[in-house]
C-alpha cells in the first residue's frame, strides 16, 4: 500500500472519523456481497464513497498509481495520461505535453522533493521536476525504451527495472546507473500491489528487491516443482505467491509458510498512518477484494493501489472502475428497508417515553423504539394515512394531524378526536400547547385556540400575518410565535404584532423557528434564507453571505454551538457564534458546511412545511425527514476540517492567450484582459471552498469570489501590482497567507514618463501660445471697447455742449427779450398810467420768463458747465464744491491742486463728472455733515479723494446705488477707466464712505 505511514496490523479496527466531500459523481454501481445488519443497527461502521471516472474527466478508468506532492496536488497515473487533481478540477498531461510525450504509463512513484517518476509504454522513463517533464534515455544511462517497473524507498532513492537489470538514479550525476554492472541480466518481475519492488525465482527461493535492499524467502516444499505466476509483498513484509495453476501461499519474514486453500480468500489487513486498520481478502491471481458497508448496503471494490492523503482521505485505485475516495459516514438513514412505513417522511417527534414518531406522506405513522419500527395506518385508527402533524401534550396525549382530521393515540390505537371542532378543510399542520395548557392548532385556514372545550378560530382578520400556518412556537417569556405563508405573528397578552418582508423579513414564507437560550429567535424561510430576531431587529443570512442554501426547512441546535438546518439540497451546519458575529458586524461572511449522499443520506432532498419537520432527541442526535427515509446525525461524531487549504495560482491568461508560468507576470503594452486561475488544494468539501482576492494597487478592498476560482481584470492601467488570493475550507478555516503574484503592466511608449514629459512641455507651449493669443484678443477687444466708450461719452458731451450753447444763445436770448419787453410795459404803466388787469398778466409773464431763464441756465450748466470752459477744470471743481455747500447743510473742505493742464481738453469733463456725481450722491443719500474733497497732483498721477461721514452702505447696496442717478458708481468707474485710472470705493454702514480715483499720467490719452 503506497502513501505515508502504512504498515500491517493483525487486529482490525475501524478507520478514524473523517468527514469529506467533493464534486465527484456519486457511484453505487458495485457488487453487493452481504447484508451486514443486525437488529438495531449495523455490525460495521458505514462508509460513503465517491468515484473519479472517465465520466467525471479522468482520461482512463485504469489507475496505475496515486501520490500527493508537497504542494498538495493529488497525482493519478492512468493508462491514458497523467492527471493532477485539486479537489475540483482535473488537469490532464499526455503526449501533447512538452517533455512527457506519452499517454500509457506502467509504473509511478514520487521521490524526494516531490519529483515524479513515470515509466511509459513507448517513451521510456520520464521525470517531473520543478514543473517540467524530462525524458531519460540512453544519453542518461537508460539502456532501453521499455521500462518494466519502478520502486523507491520514500527517501529519494529511485530504482528502475529495465532490460533485466536493476538500475538506480544518481542525483549527483543525474544519470541512471546499473547497481550490478558485472552481473548478467536476469528475468526480474515487478511485485504486485502498489509498485513495491521486483522479484525473481532462484531455485528454491524467491529473491526480491524493495526499498533499496535484497531479501530471500524460502519457497514452500509444495511449490518447488511449480512455476511461480506472480508475487506480492504486503506491509508486514509477508510475501504472497501464486503458481501458474492457481495455488497460493504466504511466507512471513521468518520464512514460515502457509498454504492458502483454494476458494477460501485469505484476509489481508492494512493500516493507515493513524494506526487504524482495513481488512481485505486476497483472491485469484492475488487480486485484493475490499468490502465495506455504505448506507446499509454491502459494497465490494477490487483495488490496485491504496493511498492516504494528508487530510486523511483514503484513495483507492482500480483496474477498470476509476478512483475511489472513502470516508466514514456521519449520517445514519432509516428507510423502508429498515422498517419505516414509507420513504417519504415528514413530521418527526420524540415523545416523553423516548420513542420517535415519524409521519409518512401517504402511508401513516411509524414509531421507533428499542431499535424497532411499529407502523400505524387507518387499520390502527388513523382518520387518514397522510400525516401532517404530531405532538404530545402536557397531559400525555399523543396527537396526530391527518388529512382526515385529528387523532389521539390511546391504548395502542388511534381514535379520531371529537374536539376541537375545526372547519372541514382545515388540515392541521402544527400543534402546540402553551404554559397555560391552551392547545393551538395551526391549519391551512388559520389557527384554532382550544381551551376547556371551547374553540376559537383566528385568521388574518383577527390580526394574524398568515392563514396558512406552518409553525407555532412558545417563547421562554410566554410569547406565542406563529409563522406561515404570509409572514410572522407574535401574540402577547392577546395582542397581535405582525412582520412581513417590508418589515425586514427575508421572505414571507415562514417554515421553521427556533428560540435559543439567549432569547434569540431564529426564523427559517422556504426560499429567503435564515433570519435572526433580537430586540426587534432582523439580521438576514442567505447564500450570498455564506449560507449553504436559502432553504431553511428545520432548525435544530446541538450542544456544541451549531445550528443544523435542512433544505432541498441536503443538511447543513453553521456556527451560531459566526451568525452572532455577523449580526454585530464583526464578520462580513459566515461559513456553512453541507452534508449529502457521501455522508450517508440516500437523497439530499429534505422535507418540511409541516411541524415538526425534525427533532433533537434526548441523546443529542438530530433527526431530519427526507424523501427517502429519515437522516440521523450525531453532531459529536462529526469531524471538523481544521487544516487551512493550500492556495495555488495555477495559470494566467492575457487576451485569451496562456501566459508563461513564473513567479511574476509581465504584461506587454496594449493588452486589455487578464485572467488569473487559482485554486485551494483541499479534498474535503472542495466545492465549498471559499475564496477572496485583491489586486493590490488597484482594488481598495478584498473581492469576495465565493467558490469561483478565476479572477478577471480588464484594462488595468500601467504600473506595478501584486495579486493576492486567500481561501477558507468548508469549515471556515482561512489560509490568510494565501498566494501572491507580482504583476507589472508595461506602458506603451505614449504612456511612458519621458513621452508624457514631452507632451506636457508641448501642451504647456501650446497653452502659452493660446493664452498669449487670447490675451491679445482680449486686450484688443478692451481697447476697442474703451475707444467706443470714450467716443460715446465724448459725443454725448459734444452734444450736451451744443444743446447748452443753443439754449443759452438762442432760447436764453429770446427769454431775455420777452422779459425785457414785459419790464418795459410795466415801467410805462407805473409812470402815470392807471393799473388795469393786463398789468398783472404782464407781471406774471415777467416772473415766469425769469424762472425759465434760471431753469435754462441750470439745464445748460448740467449739460455743459460753462465754468469748465471759462475758468478751467480746477476752478470749475472749486465752484461746484462752493455751490454744493451753499445748497446744503453740509460743510465741504476742499484741498485742490491745479490740474488744468493734466488732462486733454476732451477728457476734462470725465474728471469733472466723477466729482459732480460723487457730490450729488453724497447730498442725496449720504446724510453726511462733513465732506473732504482732495485733489493731489504729482508728476506721475492725479489722485482724487472724497471722504464723508455719512451713513455708508454695504456691498449688497452697491448694485442698487449704481442706478440711482446719472451713471452712479458704474458710470464713475467707467469714466475713471477711460482716463486710464483706477476707481475704488470703501464704505461701511454707519462709518461713512471714501471714494478714491487714481489716474496715472501715462494712462491719459486724448480720444
Amino acid at each position: 500500500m503506497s502513501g505515508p505511514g502504512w504498515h500491517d496490523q493483525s487486529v482490525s479496527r475501524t478507520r478514524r472519523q473523517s468527514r469529506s466531500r467533493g464534486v465527484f459523481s456519486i457511484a453505487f454501481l458495485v457488487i453487493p456481497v452481504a447484508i451486514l445488519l443486525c437488529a438495531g443497527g449495523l455490525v460495521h461502521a458505514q462508509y460513503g464513497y465517491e468515484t473519479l471516472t472517465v465520466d467525471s474527466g479522468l482520461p482512463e478508468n485504469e489507475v496505475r498509481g496515486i501520490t500527493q506532492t508537497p504542494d498538495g496536488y493529488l497525482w493519478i497515473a492512468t493508462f491514458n495520461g497523467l492527471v493532477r487533481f485539486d479537489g475540483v478540477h482535473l488537469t490532464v498531461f499526455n503526449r501533447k505535453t512538452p517533455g512527457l510525450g506519452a499517454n500509457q504509463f506502467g509504473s509511478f512513484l514520487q521521490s524526494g522533493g516531490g519529483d515524479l517518476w513515470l515509466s511509459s509504454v513507448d517513451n521510456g522513463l520520464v521525470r517531473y521536476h520543478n514543473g517540467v517533464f524530462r525524458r531519460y534515455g540512453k544519453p542518461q544511462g537508460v539502456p532501453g525504451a521499455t521500462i518494466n517497473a519502478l520502486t523507491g524507498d520514500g527517501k529519494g532513492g529511485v530504482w528502475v527495472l529495465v532490460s533485466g537489470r536493476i538500475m538506480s538514479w544518481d542525483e549527483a550525476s543525474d544519470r541512471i546507473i546499473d547497481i550490478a554492472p558485472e552481473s548478467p541480466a536476469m528475468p526480474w518481475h515487478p511485485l504486485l500491489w502498489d509498485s513495491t519492488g521486483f522479484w525473481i525465482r532462484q531455485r528454491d527461493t524467491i529473491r526480491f528487491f524493495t526499498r533499496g535492499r535484497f531479501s530471500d524467502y524460502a519457497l514452500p516444499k509444495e511449490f518447488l516443482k511449480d512455476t511461480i505466476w506472480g508475487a506480492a509483498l504486503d506491509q508486514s513484509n509477508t510475501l504472497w505467491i501464486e503458481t501458474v495453476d492457481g495455488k497460493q501461499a504466504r511466507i512471513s519474514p521468518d520464512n514460515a509458510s502457509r498454504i492458502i486453500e483454494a476458494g477460501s480468500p485469505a484476509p489481508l489487513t492494512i493500516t493507515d498512518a493513524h494506526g487504524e486498520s482495513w481488512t481485505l481478502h486476497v483472491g485469484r491471481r492475488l487480486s485484493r477484494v475490499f468490502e465495506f458497508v455504505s448506507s446499509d448496503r454491502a459494497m465490494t471494490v477490487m483495488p490496485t493501489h491504496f493511498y492516504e492523503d494528508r487530510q486523511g482521505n483514503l484513495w483507492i485505485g482500480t483496474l477498470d472502475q476509476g478512483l475511489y475516495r472513502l470516508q466514514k459516514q456521519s449520517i445514519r438513514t432509516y428507510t423502508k428497508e429498515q422498517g419505516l412505513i414509507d420513504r417519504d417522511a415528514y413530521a418527526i417527534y420524540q415523545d416523553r417515553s423516548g420513542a420517535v414518531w415519524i409521519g409518512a406522506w401517504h402511508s401513516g405513522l411509524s414509531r421507533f423504539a428499542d431499535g424497532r419500527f411499529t407502523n400505524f395506518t387507518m387499520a390502527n385508527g388513523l382518520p387518514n394515512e397522510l400525516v401532517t402533524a404530531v405532538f404530545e401534550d402536557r397531559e400525555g396525549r399523543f396527537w396526530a394531524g391527518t388529512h382526515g382530521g385529528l387523532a389521539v393515540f390511546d391504548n395502542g390505537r388511534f381514535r379520531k378526536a371529537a374536539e376541537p371542532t375545526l372547519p372541514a378543510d382545515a388540515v392541521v399542520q402544527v400543534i402546540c400547547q402553551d404554559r397555560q395548557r391552551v392547545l393551538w392548532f395551526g391549519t391551512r385556514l388559520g389557527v384554532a385556540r382550544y381551551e376547556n372545550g371551547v374553540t376559537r378560530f383566528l385568521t388574518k382578520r383577527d390580526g394574524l400575518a398568515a392563514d396558512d400556518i406552518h409553525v407555532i412556537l412558545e417563547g421562554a417569556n410566554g410569547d406565542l410565535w406563529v409563522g406561515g405563508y404570509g409572514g410572522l405573528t407574535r401574540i402577547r397578552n392577546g395582542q397581535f404584532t405582525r412582520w412581513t418582508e417590508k418589515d425586514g423579513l427575508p421572505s414571507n414564507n415562514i417554515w421553521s423557528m427556533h428560540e435559543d437560550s439567549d432569547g434569540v429567535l431564529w426564523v427559517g424561510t422556504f426560499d429567503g434564507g435564515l433570519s435572526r430576531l433580537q430586540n426587534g431587529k432582523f439580521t438576514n443570512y442567505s447564500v450570498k453571505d455564506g449560507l449553504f442554501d436559502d432553504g431553511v426547512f428545520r432548525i435544530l441546535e446541538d450542544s456544541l454551538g451549531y445550528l443544523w438546518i435542512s433544505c432541498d439540497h441536503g443538511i447543513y451546519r453553521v456556527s451560531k457564534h459566526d451568525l452572532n458575529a455577523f449580526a454585530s458586524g464583526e464578520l462580513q461572511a459566515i461559513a456553512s458546511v453541507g452534508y449529502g449522499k457521501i455522508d450517508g443520506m440516500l437523497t439530499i432532498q429534505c422535507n418540511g412545511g409541516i411541524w415538526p419537520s425534525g427533532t433533537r432527541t434526548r441523546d443529542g442526535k438530530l433527526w431530519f425527514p427526507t424523501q427517502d427515509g429519515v437522516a440521523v446525525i450525531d453532531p459529536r461524531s462529526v469531524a471538523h476540517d481544521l487544516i487551512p487549504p493550500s492556495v495555488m495560482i495555477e495559470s494566467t491568461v492575457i487576451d485569451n492567450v496562456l501566459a508563461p508560468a513564473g513567479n511574476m507576470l509581465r504584461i506587454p503594452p496594449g493588452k486589455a484582459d487578464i485572467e488569473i486561475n487559482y485554486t485551494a488544494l483541499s479534498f474535503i468539501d472542495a466545492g465549498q471552498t471559499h475564496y477572496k482576492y485583491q489586486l493590490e494597487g488597484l482594488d481598495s478592498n478584498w473581492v469576495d469570489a465565493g467558490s469561483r476560482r478565476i479572477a478577471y481584470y480588464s484594462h488595468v492601467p500601467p504600473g506595478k501590482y501584486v495579486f493576492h488570493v486567500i481561501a477558507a475550507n468548508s469549515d471556515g478555516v482561512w489560509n490568510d497567507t494565501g498566494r501572491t503574484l507580482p504583476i507589472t503592466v508595461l506602458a506603451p511608449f505614449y504612456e511612458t514618463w519621458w513621452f508624457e514629459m514631452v507632451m506636457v512641455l508641448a501642451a504647456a507651449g501650446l497653452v502659452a501660445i493660446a493664452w498669449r493669443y487670447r490675451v491679445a484678443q482680449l486686450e484688443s477687444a478692451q481697447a476697442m471697447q474703451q475707444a467706443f466708450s470714450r467716443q460715446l461719452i465724448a459725443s454725448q458731451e459734444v452734444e450736451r455742449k451744443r444743446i447748452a450753447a443753443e439754449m443759452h444763445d438762442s432760447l436764453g436770448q429770446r427769454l431775455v427779450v420777452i422779459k425785457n419787453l414785459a419790464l418795459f410795459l410795466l415801467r410805462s404803466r407805473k409812470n402815470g398810467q392807471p393799473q388795469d388787469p393786463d398789468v398783472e398778466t404782464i407781471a406774471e409773464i415777467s416772473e415766469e420768463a425769469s424762472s425759465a431763464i434760471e431753469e435754462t441756465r441750470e439745464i445748460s450748466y448740467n449739460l455743459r458747465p460753462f465754468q469748465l470752459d471759462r475758468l478751467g477744470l480746477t476752478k470749475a471743481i472749486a465752484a461746484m464744491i462752493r455751490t454744493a455747500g451753499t445748497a446744503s447743510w453740509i460743510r465741504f473742505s476742499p484741498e485742490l491742486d491745479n490740474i488744468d493742464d493734466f488732462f486733454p481738453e476732451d477728457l476734462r469733463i470725465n474728471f469733472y463728472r466723477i466729482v459732480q456725481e460723487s457730490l450729488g450722491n453724497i447730498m442725496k443719500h449720504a446724510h453726511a455733515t462733513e465732506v473732504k474733497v482732495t485733489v493731489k497732483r504729482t508728476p506721475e498721477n492725479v489722485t482724487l479723494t472724497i471722504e464723508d461721514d455719512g451713513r455708508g452702505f454695504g456691498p449688497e447696496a452697491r448694485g442698487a446705488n449704481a442706478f440711482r442717478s446719472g451713471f452712479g458708481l458704474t458710470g464713475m468707474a467707467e469714466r475713471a477707466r477711460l482716463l486710464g485710472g483706477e476707481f475704488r470705493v470703501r464704505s461701511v454702514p454707519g462709518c461713512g464712505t471714501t471714494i478714491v480715483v487714481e489716474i496715472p499720467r501715462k494712462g491719459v490719452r486724448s480720444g
Side-chain angles (χ1 to χ4, degrees), residues 401-432:
T402 73
H403 271 229
L406 284 167
V408 177
F409 189 64
D410 189 14
N411 294 323
R413 288 181 56 85
F414 283 93
R415 59 176 175 81
K416 189 169 183 177
E419 292 181 338
T421 303
L422 302 174
D425 297 332
V427 176
V428 175
Q429 299 179 133
V430 54
I431 307 170
C432 177

Side-chain angles (χ1 to χ4, degrees), residues 15 121 158 164 176 242 272 287 323 325 373 407 717 834 1005:
R15 188 172 181 267
V121 172
V158 177
I176 306 299
E242 183 172 348
D272 65 16
S287 62
L323 182 65
R325 182 176 66 83
F373 286 97
R1005 300 188 304 272

Side-chain angles (χ1 to χ4, degrees), residues 362-383:
H362 283 288
S363 304
L365 265 173
S366 293
R367 183 178 185 270
F368 183 77
D370 300 324
R372 297 179 56 192
F373 286 97
T374 305
N375 298 324
F376 300 85
T377 64
M378 291 179 67
N380 306 103
L382 282 175

Side-chain angles (χ1 to χ4, degrees), residues 224-385:
L224 293 178
K225 296 181 179 181
D226 295 314
T227 300
I228 305 300
W229 172 85
L233 193 68
D234 66 19
Q235 292 175 319
S236 64
N237 285 329
T238 296
L239 184 67
W240 297 67
I241 59 174
E242 183 172 348
T243 65
V244 172
D245 59 3
K247 292 191 296 185
Q248 292 181 344
R250 56 186 181 185
I251 309 170
S252 64
D254 58 1
N255 281 317
S257 301
R258 178 179 177 181
I259 307 300
I260 300 172
E261 294 183 11
S264 300
L268 170 65
T269 300
I270 58 175
T271 306
D272 65 16
H274 303 276
E276 297 174 2
S277 301
W278 306 75
T279 299
L280 296 83
H281 291 85
V282 179
R284 179 175 170 78
R285 290 297 184 241
L286 297 180
S287 62
R288 294 176 293 181
V289 178
F290 177 49
E291 300 172 358
F292 62 96
V293 178
S294 178
S295 299
D296 294 341
R297 294 177 175 89
M299 313 300 293
T300 299
V301 64
M302 300 181 68
T304 58
H305 296 81
F306 280 89
Y307 189 82
E308 183 187 21
D309 66 26
R310 291 193 287 274
Q311 290 177 287
N313 295 293
L314 180 63
W315 302 87
I316 302 175
T318 69
L319 187 64
D320 57 5
Q321 294 176 334
L323 182 65
Y324 283 71
R325 182 176 66 83
L326 267 66
Q327 67 170 65
K328 189 172 182 179
Q329 291 182 333
S330 55
I331 298 177
R332 170 71 192 273
T333 302
Y334 297 103
T335 188
K336 202 167 183 179
E337 285 76 12
Q338 287 77 43
L340 193 66
I341 196 168
D342 205 349
R343 299 184 186 279
D344 203 3
Y346 270 83
I348 303 179
Y349 187 87
Q350 185 180 36
D351 63 23
R352 64 186 60 182
S353 72
V356 178
W357 295 81
I358 303 148
W361 192 241
H362 283 288
S363 304
L365 265 173
S366 293
R367 183 178 185 270
F368 183 77
D370 300 324
R372 297 179 56 192
F373 286 97
T374 305
N375 298 324
F376 300 85
T377 64
M378 291 179 67
N380 306 103
L382 282 175
N384 189 282
E385 292 175 349

